[in-house]
Amino acid sequence: MSVGLVTTDHLLGSTPAAFYTHVASRTFKAEIAASVLDCRFDILIGSPDRRYFLPPKSKGGINYMKRFEDAGYMLVSNYREYLKQDSANKVIGTFSMLGSVDALAKVTAKTVALLENNPKGFFIMVESGIPDQGGHSNNPDKTVFGTLCADHAVKAAVEYAVKRGNTLVIVTADHETGGIALGTGKYALNLQALQYQKNSADMLSTQISELRKAKNNKVSWEDMKSFLAENMGFWKEIPISWEQEKK
């Protein structure tokens, strides 16, 4: 049977790694990277991050990308380059699929096309890890974008299954992140509040640091209120009570 793993996340992320490695913790990235080649899967696609496959982050200072190449894998670092693949060679791809909402779907369809000719069948795991990342950073745009990426990928898989027959498609999610359904404190989604949020939590933190630097660390509450009104819509578009402001 041919096997492929495709994820928008790092190949060492918890979801893909669960299919090929056995380590004590998800944080043992160097150990996980050292074990990827052992699985001998036909296609491995993940984000551009190669840090733990290469020195100095790799286990033992070994160039694992070179080991993949020596084992007959084609190294692909470009999304469009991967879509042009037409050989049966094994592939390890490290590139971004964040450029368009259908990129993951196209990579899914290409991976299926490369694996389907095995008379013993094939298995492919496809993950959109973007909603999780968006949830962690309280970035609703990213969460929705990632969900749409997953939707397009599922569509590609189902269309193939309907056409081919004798193919099982399983769609699942592991957990929710970020409490996006808890927006009002009443377990209800508040999309009106989200529409005024211009930046992720990470970007807001960076901008606040820049504000503090510009003010020589003498930022008044009025400065912060003005900043939050501009970037979050607080007071300007979203009413904030005195009780909420005190918190």
Side-chain angles (χ1 to χ4, degrees):
M1 174 180 283
S2 296
V3 178
L5 298 181
V6 175
T7 177
T8 59
D9 194 9
H10 196 297
L11 272 171
L12 311 181
S14 298
T15 298
F19 287 84
Y20 63 74
T21 196
H22 302 279
V23 298
S25 171
R26 63 191 290 178
T27 64
F28 295 170
K29 299 298 185 184
E31 287 77 7
I32 296 172
S35 69
V36 179
L37 183 57
D38 294 337
C39 74
R40 302 288 172 174
F41 290 168
D42 299 272
I43 295 178
L44 297 157
I45 305 292
S47 77
D49 189 350
R50 296 184 175 188
R51 282 175 298 169
Y52 292 96
F53 289 111
L54 300 169
K57 291 281 190 178
S58 62
K59 184 177 181 180
I62 296 171
N63 185 334
Y64 287 98
M65 299 308 293
K66 180 65 166 57
R67 287 198 172 184
F68 272 105
E69 200 168 26
D70 292 342
Y73 281 80
M74 182 175 294
L75 275 53
V76 180
S77 58
N78 182 279
Y79 158 71
R80 299 193 182 282
E81 180 187 349
Y82 179 68
L83 296 184
K84 294 177 182 178
Q85 295 297 315
D86 58 5
S87 69
N89 291 340
K90 292 189 175 185
V91 176
I92 177 167
T94 51
F95 51 80
S96 173
M97 288 174 271
L98 305 181
S100 65
V101 74
D102 61 350
L104 179 61
K106 290 180 178 179
V107 171
T108 298
K110 171 55 69 173
T111 304
V112 168
L114 293 173
L115 298 179
E116 68 174 339
N117 293 322
N118 188 330
K120 293 184 179 180
F122 70 91
F123 168 82
I124 175 175
M125 188 287 297
V126 179
E127 177 194 28
S128 175
I130 308 167
D132 179 70
Q133 296 161 359
H136 278 294
S137 61
N138 289 323
N139 186 337
D141 285 351
K142 193 170 188 177
T143 299
V144 172
F145 174 77
T147 303
L148 291 174
C149 291
D151 186 62
H152 281 269
V154 170
K155 182 175 183 287
V158 170
E159 286 179 346
Y160 172 84
V162 170
K163 182 178 179 180
R164 170 71 180 262
N166 196 31
T167 303
L168 175 65
V169 177
I170 299 174
V171 183
T172 187
D174 52 1
H175 61 85
E176 193 277 338
T177 300
I180 197 168
L182 309 180
T184 66
K186 299 178 181 178
Y187 295 90
L189 182 61
N190 186 357
L191 292 175
Q192 281 67 40
L194 290 179
Q195 68 179 312
Y196 302 114
Q197 182 176 330
K198 296 182 178 180
N199 298 302
S200 67
D202 290 341
M203 181 58 72
L204 282 172
S205 179
T206 298
Q207 291 178 336
I208 290 172
S209 295
E210 291 173 351
L211 177 63
R212 292 181 63 187
K213 184 177 180 180
K215 296 276 187 176
N216 293 317
N217 286 327
K218 295 179 181 179
V219 180
S220 68
W221 178 234
E222 291 304 315
D223 291 331
M224 280 305 304
K225 286 183 69 173
S226 177
F227 173 85
L228 293 172
E230 179 62 28
N231 289 277
M232 302 293 291
F234 295 161
W235 297 283
K236 181 190 284 187
E237 304 289 350
I238 303 170
I240 300 293
S241 69
W242 173 239
E243 289 300 318
Q244 290 173 315
E245 185 174 335
K246 285 193 299 183
K247 294 179 181 180

